[in-house]
Amino acid sequence: MTATLPAPTVLRLHRTALTGWLVAFTAVAALLLWAYGPGADAAVAEWNRLCARQRPCTWGGGSIMNYYRAFTLAEFLILWIPGLVAAWAGAALIGRELENGTARLAWTQGVTPTRWLAAKLTVPAVLLTAGTTVLVLLHRLAYDTNTLPMGWTWDRDNTFGTNGTTAIAWPLLALAVGAFAGLLLRRALPALAVGFLVAGTVRILVHETTPHLWPHETAAGDAKNGYRTPVNVMNLGEGTYHPASHFWPLQLVETGFALTITAAAVTTAFWLLRRRTA
């Protein structure tokens, strides 16, 4: 009779990654809530005071800079912390159990290798997806209500990467690639390094490729408010660009790539595990 690893057992084994994720989630959520509430209020009040004294208005006061730093820090953390935690859960912990022999102990107690790996992937995937989704929604709330000319356009790399489904898909890729690295290397730290490096590299390459996989639009002169504007500027003064209406198509293209690579990595990980335990 086969058994499955109960969720509490998986959570206990993943407690370091879980604690890190809870701390990171709380910190980023607090930054975004502050930026949405008191941080934005103080920045707007300071902006109004500056505009009352000088024209044109220029931003540079303490409250405005604090608001800007908090928002940009939150974006950076959303971009990379979930992926790092996912790589840790997928690579280091699986690699550690294989390295220490605790995985084989579980397999001798009625838990098949396939069910063991499925539990190792499912629990962190659910927690990462739920937490990152909340952070993306908080980011969109703070971004959509911003009234200051802070230079945050939809096509800015960090803003694009934290304002939609791509931010949710990439941690799943890091988890899958990390799991494969853990199974392949069977050592915790090397698997973590390889998993995070490979997932991060793939993310950057796909992100740079995505704008060229959706039809551009053409505008005379410089195309304003476009994705990496302008993509190309020709000698006749015409440029190709992505307007704001392309946000969701580009998001879905990049998300599709991420999930496809994730599925391939998961499939390969299960294949490798079955091959080694047959």
Side-chain angles (χ1 to χ4, degrees):
M1 180 177 178
T2 60
T4 58
L5 282 174
T9 300
V10 178
L11 289 174
R12 185 172 66 254
L13 294 171
H14 285 279
R15 60 184 176 274
T16 302
L18 176 62
T19 301
W21 177 230
L22 289 176
V23 170
F25 171 83
T26 302
V28 177
L31 277 173
L32 291 172
L33 288 172
W34 180 85
Y36 171 69
D41 292 342
V44 169
E46 187 165 58
W47 174 261
N48 291 334
R49 288 197 301 271
L50 291 173
C51 289
R53 295 198 304 264
Q54 61 183 17
R55 296 288 182 183
C57 300
T58 58
W59 60 275
S63 296
I64 296 175
M65 290 303 300
N66 290 338
Y67 173 71
Y68 176 81
R69 292 189 185 105
F71 199 88
T72 53
L73 176 60
E75 287 186 332
F76 176 81
L77 294 176
I78 294 173
L79 278 176
W80 296 108
I81 292 299
L84 179 60
V85 174
W88 174 259
L93 298 182
I94 289 177
R96 185 180 64 187
E97 289 204 40
L98 292 172
E99 186 177 2
N100 296 338
T102 53
R104 290 194 174 276
L105 178 62
W107 301 341
T108 62
Q109 296 178 347
V111 179
T112 65
T114 299
R115 291 178 181 269
W116 170 83
L117 181 57
K120 288 289 186 180
L121 292 176
T122 301
V123 173
V126 170
L127 294 176
L128 284 164
T129 299
T132 308
T133 299
V134 172
L135 294 180
V136 169
L137 292 175
L138 288 175
H139 178 273
R140 289 191 63 87
L141 181 65
Y143 174 81
D144 290 341
T145 55
N146 171 58
T147 59
L148 298 176
M150 306 294 289
W152 292 322
T153 56
W154 72 272
D155 57 305
R156 181 174 169 269
D157 281 343
N158 284 2
T159 301
F160 180 86
T162 54
N163 225 11
T165 53
T166 60
I168 302 168
W170 285 116
L172 297 178
L173 173 67
L175 178 66
V177 172
F180 177 70
L183 290 168
L184 185 65
L185 301 176
R186 300 186 182 190
R187 295 182 62 190
L189 293 182
L192 171 60
V194 170
F196 186 68
L197 178 62
V198 170
T201 301
V202 171
R203 175 177 188 163
I204 292 171
L205 291 176
V206 171
H207 184 66
E208 292 299 320
T209 304
T210 297
H212 304 284
L213 300 179
W214 191 261
H216 302 96
E217 292 191 5
T218 303
D222 277 349
K224 301 301 182 182
N225 298 320
Y227 195 70
R228 293 180 189 78
T229 308
V231 178
N232 289 303
V233 177
M234 293 179 281
N235 292 332
L236 296 178
E238 292 184 341
T240 57
Y241 74 108
H242 286 298
S245 60
H246 287 190
F247 173 80
W248 281 114
L250 291 168
Q251 280 279 329
L252 295 177
V253 168
E254 187 169 325
T255 300
F257 268 105
L259 294 180
T260 299
I261 300 170
T262 299
V266 170
T267 301
T268 306
F270 276 103
W271 171 82
L272 179 63
L273 181 63
R274 286 193 296 267
R275 180 185 175 95
R276 288 186 169 177
T277 57

